[in-house]
Structures are given as structure tokens and as C-alpha cells.
């Protein structure tokens, strides 16, 4: 029997188990930096598969290794989720993990514990088939993605010293293939004015006016940002405006704006900062890129600059071509090869460290961070088969 057919058969056989594993993961609340319990559950599920090595690293990522080959493939799923938002918008309990009408229900089912449950089954299939290719496969349940995408992989590459040749990021793609997304960065601009009595504003310099002019300039800048045929347009918007003055009867001497900047192909931290500095060249303002630094659930403090580089792989790259080939073998037709709208751990994996990355994951990305999140069990089955066959074909 063809290996692809055998893998499909096993994915079908383990279908209910995959759904039940996901249900267990969904039942455990796991906001960023609070992944300890869900990590224990994922590790328990991975233990039943039997990896050559299974550990939790200093940042709290759970990492299972299969094989010992020179070439390294990693499959990543972040274990943290965002909060539920207004509970009234949900038609079911976000933490029930209920399995109903061919779906697993709840927060994180799509974004993206479904990826983790599917890779556990993918690993189980490889084990069952006695996988012995000259390849190392790491299965990674990662932390803190919703807080600082890519930070976990900065740790894995720099501290765990694991540097894969190819990574599959299992964020939701509705079981299509993704080969890129826009990058992003968080910029703050601080304006310093001079206060004066509110009865004589001409004596002072109002920081609110300075910031307001800059806001309108940034609105215009957004309109003329460059566009990439595949990734779309870069964007800039103001997400916060803070000001201060000695009293409500005084000219404001301080204002601060927060800019959410999405970066398309060819836009970098340097180019984005320079554009804003150019707008401010006649004013007294300071532009800075924010830093992230927080403690993981393990207690370890770790951080990085809030610059998340843009990435894309060409369609003819071997990582993409292998994905297309695996898809055709399993499902008998060509996949859609697309991009994500949101950002993922690939910002560091590919954007910072240059490691070829593709996306393939269960669930519809429009349900990520939304109420009534649920994932089709059929998608979990497809993803588990895809991960297993990818390990054979790469
Ligand atoms: Zn996600």
C-alpha cells in the first residue's frame, strides 16, 4: 500500500482520539504566560506517543523529538490563547471543549490548539509506521505567541540551540498552504511642548497640537504606503493618544501616540521609522520602537524588540512545493497557496532567522480571536495526515 494511503487510513482511525485530545486542551484556560497547565496536558498526550526525547525548556515550550537525522523539520503550535471577550457574544461555553456536529468547540480550538492535537496524532502515525528516515522532527508546543509573536522561537533557536531547516507553522489555514504574511511593529512617538497658563496659550507650545498634526500626517502616510502583489499594502494607524498638562488650565506639555504599523514586502524597521521621522522633522518629537519583556510561566524573564519582520517564500521553494505535493497525494487535488492576514511565530523563524517556513493548520482563520470559535474534526484529521506525510517527503 502507498504510504499516503496508509497515513490517511491511520488519521481516520485516530480521528476520535484527535478530537478528544483537542477537547482536553480547550478545557484548560491558557492565556499567554499562563500555559503551565495546558503544557502539562500536551506533554501527557505526547508521552503516550513515545518520543525519543520530550522536554519542557526554560521558557516553558514543550518539545518532542523524533529521529536523529541531520536534516531538521519542526512543527510548531502555540499553546496560549487570547481571552474570551464579551461572554454574551458566545452561543456556548468557551471552555466546554464540547464535541458536537463534527466540530470541537471553544476558545483556542482554531487558534491554535487544533494544530497541537493534530501534530500529536501526526507523530503517533509516524511511530505506528516505524518512521526511520534520516530526519529529525521536533514537535513544539510554544508559549507567549499572543503576547509577542515569535519570542518563543527566538528562545528555541538561541537558547535551546535548535535550528531547523524547515518549519511548519500550524496556525489556522483551513488546511490550505500559507507562504507568508505581512510583518508589524509597535512604534511610540513622544511630543514635548512647553506649558503656560491656559489664559495665555501664545506663551506656550501645545504638545496636543503637535501630536494631532502628526496623527493627520500618519493618516495620509497610510494612504501612500507601498503595496505588494501577494502580501497587500503596508498600513499605519494610531491606536492610542495620551496627553498631560500641569492642570486643566494649562497648555499641555506632553503627548504620546501609539502607531500600529503593518509592514509589507520591502518595508523594514529602519524604513518605517525613517518615514515617521521625516513627518516630524520640524517638530520636537522622539520616535521609538517598543520593547517586550515579560516573565514566562516558568518565571524566566525574556524579551525582544516589538519588530516582527515581514516574510514570504516563493511558490517554487522546496518547502512550498513539498507541501503542494503532499496535499495532492493525500487529497487528490491542488491546494490553495495563500497568505495569512494576521501575524505568526514565523516573524522570527523566517523573518529574523531566515528558516524556510510554511503554514498548514486546521480551522478557519476568521474565527481566531472571535466568539463561537470551533474547528471541523475533518480539518484535524487532514492536518495530522499532512504532517506525517510531509516528514516522509521533505
Ligand atoms: Zn495564533
Amino acid at each position: 500500500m502507498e504510504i499516503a494511503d496508509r497515513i490517511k487510513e491511520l488519521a481516520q482511525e485516530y480521528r476520535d482520539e484527535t478530537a478528544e485530545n483537542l477537547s482536553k486542551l480547550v478545557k484548560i484556560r491558557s492565556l499567554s504566560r499562563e500555559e503551565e497547565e495546558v503544557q502539562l496536558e500536551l506533554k501527557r498526550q505526547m508521552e503516550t506517543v513515545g518520543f525519543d526525547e520530550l522536554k519542557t525548556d526554560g521558557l516553558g515550550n514543550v518539545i518532542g523529538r523524533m529521529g536523529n537525522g541531520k536534516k531538521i523539520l519542526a512543527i510548531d503550535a502555540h499553546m496560549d490563547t487570547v481571552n474570551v471577550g464579551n461572554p454574551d457574544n458566545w452561543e456556548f461555553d468557551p471552555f466546554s471543549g464540547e464535541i458536537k456536529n463534527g466540530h470541537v468547540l471553544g476558545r483556542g480550538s482554531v487558534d491554535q490548539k487544533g494544530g497541537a492535537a493534530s501534530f500529536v496524532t501526526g507523530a503517533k502515525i509516524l511511530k505506528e509506521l516505524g518512521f526511520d528516515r534520516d530526519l529529525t522532527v521536533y514537535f513544539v508546543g510554544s508559549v507567549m505567541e499572543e503576547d509577542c509573536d515569535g519570542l518563543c522561537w527566538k528562545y528555541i533557536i538561541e537558547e535551546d540551540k535548535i535550528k531547523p531547516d524547515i518549519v511548519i507553522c500550524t496556525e489556522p489555514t483551513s488546511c490550505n498552504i500559507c507562504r507568508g504574511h505581512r510583518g508589524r511593529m509597535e512604534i511610540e512617538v513622544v511630543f514635548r511642548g512647553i506649558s503656560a497658563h491656559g489664559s495665555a496659550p501664545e506663551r506656550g507650545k501645545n504638545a496636543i497640537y503637535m501630536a494631532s498634526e502628526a496623527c493627520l500626517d500618519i493618516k495620509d502616510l497610510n494612504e501612500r504606503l507601498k503595496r505588494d502583489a501577494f502580501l497587500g499594502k503596508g498600513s499605519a494607524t494610531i491606536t492610542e493618544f495620551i496627553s498631560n498638562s500641569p492642570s486643566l488650565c494649562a497648555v499641555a506639555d506632553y503627548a504620546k501616540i501609539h502607531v500600529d504599523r503593518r509592514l509589507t514586502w520591502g518595508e523594514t524597521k529602519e524604513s518605517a521609522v525613517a518615514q515617521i521621522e521625516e513627518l516630524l522633522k520640524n517638530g520636537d518629537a522622539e520616535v521609538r520602537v517598543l520593547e517586550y519583556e515579560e516573565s514566562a510561566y516558568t518565571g524566566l524573564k525574556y524579551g525582544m524588540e516589538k519588530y516582527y519582520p515581514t516574510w514570504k517564500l516563493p511558490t517554487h521553494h522546496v518547502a512550498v512545493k513539498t507541501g503542494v505535493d503532499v496535499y495532492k497525494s493525500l487529497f487528490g487535488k491542488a491546494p490553495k497557496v495563500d497568505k495569512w492576514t494576521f501575524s505568526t511565530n514565523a516573524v522570527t523563524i523566517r523573518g529574523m532567522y531566515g528558516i524556510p517556513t510554511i503554514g498548514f493548520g486546521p480551522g478557519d482563520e476568521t474565527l481566531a480571536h472571535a466568539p463561537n470559535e470551533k474547528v471541523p474534526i475533518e480539518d484535524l484529521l487532514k492536518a495530522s495526515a499532512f504532517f506525517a506525510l510531509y516528514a516522509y517527503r521533505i
Side-chain angles (χ1 to χ4, degrees):
M1 189 187 260
E2 263 285 318
I3 194 81
D5 292 327
R6 184 73 188 118
I7 285 174
K8 257 163 66 176
E9 221 175 61
L10 286 169
Q12 182 65 42
E13 194 181 318
Y14 299 144
R15 175 196 166 99
D16 290 350
E17 189 180 316
T18 312
E20 277 153 25
N21 277 342
L22 175 55
S23 167
K24 285 176 191 151
L25 296 173
V26 169
K27 282 184 177 135
I28 302 168
R29 289 169 199 253
S30 57
L31 296 179
S32 303
R33 309 195 288 120
E34 297 173 13
E35 303 94 340
E36 182 161 20
E37 216 188 313
V38 78
Q39 168 267 148
L40 286 172
E41 172 58 26
L42 180 60
K43 203 172 181 184
R44 192 197 60 73
Q45 294 177 11
M46 290 170 81
E47 261 157 16
T48 67
V49 172
F51 283 85
D52 295 328
E53 187 191 356
L54 182 61
K55 63 163 191 179
T56 300
D57 72 10
L59 199 68
N61 302 301
V62 52
I63 303 175
R65 176 177 61 78
M66 200 175 272
N68 218 348
K70 207 159 160 256
K71 195 167 188 177
I72 300 173
L73 168 69
I75 305 175
D76 174 66
H78 69 78
M79 301 180 286
D80 57 321
T81 73
V82 294
N83 220 328
V84 296
N86 181 355
D88 294 343
N89 291 337
W90 287 76
E91 284 155 18
F92 48 81
D93 172 5
F95 299 104
S96 72
E98 196 182 351
I99 299 172
K100 193 177 167 186
N101 300 329
H103 288 75
V104 180
L105 277 54
R107 174 54 86 227
S109 55
V110 169
D111 186 12
Q112 57 119 132
K113 293 173 173 175
S118 302
F119 81 43
V120 170
T121 301
K124 184 167 171 160
I125 292 170
L126 291 179
K127 197 80 186 168
E128 173 84 23
L129 293 173
F131 185 74
D132 62 353
R133 280 197 59 208
D134 184 20
L135 182 77
T136 301
V137 193
Y138 286 102
F139 297 77
V140 178
S142 50
V143 294
M144 297 162 91
E145 191 274 345
E146 298 292 359
D147 248 16
C148 187
D149 17 328
L151 179 75
C152 51
W153 270 92
K154 179 180 179 235
Y155 188 90
I156 291 166
I157 292 165
E158 291 192 2
E159 311 301 326
D160 295 336
K161 310 284 180 205
I162 295 173
K163 193 164 183 205
D165 297 293
I166 288 181
V167 175
I168 304 174
C169 179
T170 67
E171 294 262 15
T173 65
S174 292
C175 295
N176 293 306
I177 291 170
C178 276
R179 62 175 181 93
H181 59 67
R182 290 183 303 168
R184 66 183 192 93
M185 60 193 295
E186 294 186 29
I187 303 171
E188 209 173 69
V189 189
V190 173
F191 300 85
R192 302 209 184 269
I194 297 165
S195 70
H197 200 283
S199 64
E202 68 281 3
R203 291 183 199 146
K205 190 175 163 196
N206 197 321
I208 293 179
Y209 294 159
M210 296 159 70
S212 300
E213 278 170 28
C215 287
L216 294 175
D217 287 344
I218 289 168
K219 185 176 173 221
D220 290 343
L221 170 69
N222 175 59
E223 298 299 318
R224 57 175 194 272
L225 288 173
K226 63 188 279 187
R227 181 179 295 275
D228 176 72
F230 175 58
L231 295 178
K233 196 177 93 46
S235 67
T237 193
I238 312 293
T239 54
E240 191 177 55
F241 191 119
I242 290 170
S243 69
N244 199 19
S245 60
S247 101
L248 290 178
C249 297
V251 170
D253 60 3
Y254 174 87
K256 185 175 84 175
I257 59 174
H258 187 102
V259 184
D260 177 307
R261 182 74 164 85
R262 305 285 154 159
L263 305 160
T264 194
W265 193 245
E267 293 185 316
T268 61
K269 177 177 78 175
E270 289 73 22
S271 71
V273 167
Q275 275 169 336
I276 292 180
E277 280 174 345
E278 173 67 21
L279 299 176
L280 302 166
K281 64 173 185 271
N282 298 320
D284 200 1
E286 185 198 336
V287 182
R288 53 185 182 225
V289 180
L290 296 180
E291 287 282 330
Y292 179 90
E293 184 167 286
E294 293 290 346
S295 297
Y297 75 80
T298 58
L300 183 78
K301 222 172 184 193
Y302 200 62
M304 67 182 221
E305 197 175 35
K306 289 180 154 188
Y307 168 51
Y308 308 88
T310 312
W311 71 281
K312 65 175 175 180
L313 278 196
T315 43
H316 57 76
H317 193 283
V318 64
V320 180
K321 273 167 61 181
T322 303
V324 170
D325 166 58
V326 164
Y327 189 101
K328 282 182 184 160
S329 302
L330 289 170
F331 314 123
K333 57 177 181 180
K336 202 166 134 192
V337 178
D338 206 353
K339 61 176 184 294
W340 277 298
T341 305
F342 52 52
S343 178
T344 72
N345 279 334
V347 290
T348 52
I349 302 169
R350 176 64 185 175
M352 210 174 273
Y353 298 100
I355 298 168
T357 304
I358 64 160
F360 189 94
D364 176 353
E365 80 160 53
T366 62
L367 287 175
H369 302 196
N372 304 315
E373 186 178 349
K374 61 178 180 178
V375 69
I377 297 172
E378 197 56 30
D379 276 20
L380 303 175
L381 186 156
K382 279 179 157 179
S384 62
F386 183 93
F387 303 148
L389 189 58
Y390 199 92
Y392 274 96
R393 293 275 171 87
I394 192 66

